[in-house]
């Protein structure tokens, strides 16, 4: 089975919500299947209009994704804009996609509510996303809940193409949405998100990381008071990074008293630094010498491009070009 997902380089990089909600489930699935993770940089152009920012975001995200890649679950990481025919496939798909379908897209309607005018790329966004997926005969696409409609569009667009030309050419991909992980991690009771400025970047320096963890909202009980681990935001995050015996030990400390939220936060910091230590070390190496990242991407870009081009050559024949 072939699994693919994309992470847009629009911000600095990965926060804990992205990691727990998207990256980790992806790597777990990939242990048993063939995995493609790519940077949809053409998609970022809908909102990033400055070359330096674009490059900086992309470099940082590529280094992070690579640094987080587990040894036992290898997959390809590549760049969308290195696929020579991605926009040709998008155009062909646009030619069989109805305007009325596109008018139903939440992403475009949301942007339209925020801005008086939107760019055409925001409107066409789901068609490019369909070309990302069906251009590689992908079976499954792990995404967050917010992408559910885009996946439905992808299936509609693929199905419509097959019907129009009387072929069984594009595979209809299945979305994979982990309902439990879809909204869990937070530091102030809300979904951890860039939009709420309540996120924890995985690759921040230790000082910034500590400051962020210390700002997690907790109860206001005194040090000696007994506390409830199950209603604590710090403990909620610990669940992802500690084994069950460690968690049990910490929960008892909460209930016994004389264990302050400050202690818990330092313990969480320690867990994160230990858990992400190998990735943080690799990340630093990649940032110090970005050519290491480029070498890896080049290798995978070539493999992905070959697959995508083969599909395009067949596609051209079907439509008579
Ligand atoms: P943000 O919400 O910070 O803007 P993105 O929209 O860039 O994050 O999300 C990238 C991926 O990470 C998506 O698949 C999304 O569903 C997932 N994700 C983001 N935040 C969380 C969260 N708090 N919990 C679970 N998954 C998340
Ligand atoms: N639209 C996705 C997002 O905003 C990014 C993306 C582009 C994507 N192409 C994709 C995700 C293909 C999965 C598969 O997060």
């Amino acid at each position: 089975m072939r699994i693919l997902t994309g992470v847009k380089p629009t911000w600095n990089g990965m926060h804990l919500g992205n990691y727990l909600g998207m990256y980790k489930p992806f790597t777990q699935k990939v242990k048993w299947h063939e995995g493609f993770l790519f940077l949809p940089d053409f998609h970022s152009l809908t909102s990033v209009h400055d070359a330096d920012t674009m490059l900086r975001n992309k470099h940082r995200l590529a280094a992070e994704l690579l640094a987080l890649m587990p040894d036992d679950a290898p997959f390809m990481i590549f760049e969308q804009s290195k696929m020579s025919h991605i926009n040709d496939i998008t155009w062909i798909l646009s030619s069989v996609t109805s305007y009325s379908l596109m008018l139903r897209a939440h992403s475009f309607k949301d942007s339209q509510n925020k801005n008086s005018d939107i760019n055409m790329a925001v409107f066409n966004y789901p068609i490019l996303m369909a070309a990302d997926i069906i251009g590689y005969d992908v079976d499954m696409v792990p995404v967050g809940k917010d992408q559910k409609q885009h996946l439905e569009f992808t299936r509609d667009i693929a199905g419509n193409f097959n019907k129009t030309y009387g072929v069984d050419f594009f595979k209809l991909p299945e979305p994979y949405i982990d309902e439990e992980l879809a909204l869990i991690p937070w530091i102030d009771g809300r979904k951890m998100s860039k939009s709420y400025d309540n996120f924890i970047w995985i690759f921040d320096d230790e000082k910034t990381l500590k400051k962020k963890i210390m700002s997690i909202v907790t109860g206001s009980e005194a040090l000696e008071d007994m506390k409830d681990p199950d209603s604590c935001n710090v403990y909620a995050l610990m669940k992802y990074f500690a084994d069950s015996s460690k968690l049990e030990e910490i929960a008892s400390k909460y209930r016994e008293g004389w264990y302050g939220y400050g202690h818990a936060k330092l313990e969480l910091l320690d867990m994160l630094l230990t858990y992400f230590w190998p990735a943080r070390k690799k990340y630093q190496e990649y940032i110090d010498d970005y050519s290491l990242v480029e070498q890896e991407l080049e290798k995978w870009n070539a493999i992905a491009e070959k697959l995508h081009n083969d599909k395009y050559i067949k596609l051209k024949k079907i439509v008579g070009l």
Side-chain angles (χ1 to χ4, degrees):
M1 179 175 329
R2 186 171 285 168
I3 302 180
L4 168 142
T5 195
V7 194
K8 242 183 344 179
T10 39
W11 256 70
N12 274 337
M14 299 279 285
H15 59 64
L16 282 185
N18 300 145
Y19 175 76
L20 293 168
M22 181 271 298
Y23 195 90
K24 203 166 166 233
F26 175 76
T27 58
Q28 278 162 353
K29 280 248 162 281
V30 161
K31 276 190 191 160
W32 321 107
H33 306 293
E34 191 186 7
F36 292 9
L37 179 65
F38 77 105
L39 295 122
D41 43 1
F42 274 131
H43 278 111
S44 300
L45 281 181
T46 55
S47 58
V48 182
H49 296 142
D50 172 73
D52 291 340
T53 311
M54 183 71 156
L55 273 177
R56 201 184 50 241
N57 291 349
K58 205 162 101 168
H59 283 189
R60 178 166 172 171
L61 185 60
E64 292 190 2
L65 295 175
L66 212 57
L68 283 166
M69 186 189 274
D71 293 335
D72 62 344
F75 44 86
M76 305 205 308
I77 300 181
F78 60 94
E79 297 158 275
Q80 180 188 43
S81 61
K82 293 291 179 337
M83 306 299 110
S84 337
H85 296 295
I86 181 74
N87 287 308
D88 297 318
I89 298 184
T90 304
W91 185 262
I92 293 174
L93 295 177
S94 304
S95 311
V96 294
T97 302
S98 75
Y99 176 61
S100 59
L101 175 75
M102 299 303 288
L103 284 178
R104 291 208 298 272
H106 304 314
S107 54
F108 137 72
K109 283 196 270 189
D110 290 348
S111 309
Q112 211 177 24
N113 289 338
K114 285 185 207 142
N115 306 301
S116 55
D117 198 2
I118 56 154
N119 58 59
M120 280 307 293
V122 172
F123 188 68
N124 292 326
Y125 188 105
I127 312 181
L128 176 58
M129 184 156 161
D132 288 332
I133 299 169
I134 60 181
Y136 305 98
D137 293 329
V138 166
D139 300 285
M140 188 193 277
V141 187
V143 279
K145 269 188 187 161
D146 52 330
Q147 298 299 313
K148 197 170 173 213
Q149 195 197 33
H150 284 153
L151 258 292
E152 285 160 12
F153 274 34
T154 300
R155 290 172 61 89
D156 279 352
I157 293 170
N160 205 21
F161 179 90
N162 290 345
K163 197 166 150 236
T164 306
Y165 286 94
V167 287
D168 184 17
F169 182 63
F170 285 124
K171 235 185 210 177
L172 271 51
E174 292 294 336
Y176 172 74
I177 299 173
D178 189 325
E179 293 292 336
E180 254 187 49
L181 281 173
L183 278 181
I184 295 180
W186 66 82
I187 64 171
D188 62 359
R190 292 188 289 186
K191 172 190 173 211
M192 182 180 290
S193 169
K194 283 164 284 196
S195 329
Y196 303 140
D197 197 17
N198 67 350
F199 49 84
I200 300 176
W201 294 126
I202 297 169
F203 293 93
D204 266 343
D205 62 75
E206 225 173 296
K207 207 171 134 211
T208 316
L209 200 57
K210 185 171 175 188
K211 208 169 143 211
K212 202 86 199 187
I213 288 171
M214 287 303 173
S215 75
I216 296 178
V217 176
T218 57
S220 52
E221 299 96 317
L223 176 66
E224 62 274 24
D225 290 346
M226 289 167 8
K227 300 172 186 72
D228 175 19
D230 296 320
S231 60
C232 176
N233 290 332
V234 181
Y235 188 75
L237 278 174
M238 284 179 175
K239 285 188 189 156
Y240 297 100
F241 301 102
D243 60 33
S244 52
S245 65
K246 180 81 188 161
L247 279 175
E248 205 31 65
E249 181 196 315
I250 294 173
S252 312
K253 289 201 247 174
Y254 267 82
R255 294 189 187 108
E256 280 160 18
W258 294 104
Y259 182 72
Y261 289 116
H263 295 130
K265 287 175 179 177
L266 288 177
E267 210 145 356
L268 174 63
L269 173 67
D270 195 49
M271 278 177 199
L272 290 180
L273 288 174
T274 307
Y275 184 92
F276 288 112
W277 181 78
R280 287 169 64 91
K281 189 165 160 280
K282 266 194 227 159
Y283 173 71
Q284 203 47 54
E285 287 164 15
Y286 288 141
I287 287 297
D288 292 343
D289 181 1
Y290 192 72
S291 71
L292 296 172
V293 177
E294 276 168 334
Q295 279 165 28
E296 295 293 326
L297 290 179
E298 239 171 68
K299 188 176 74 190
W300 288 314
N301 281 339
I303 300 173
E305 227 230 336
K306 165 101 180 55
L307 283 173
H308 213 245
N309 283 356
D310 288 352
K311 194 79 184 166
Y312 177 62
I313 290 167
K314 291 183 193 143
L315 176 62
K316 274 210 304 188
K317 264 212 182 111
I318 293 174
V319 299
L321 289 175

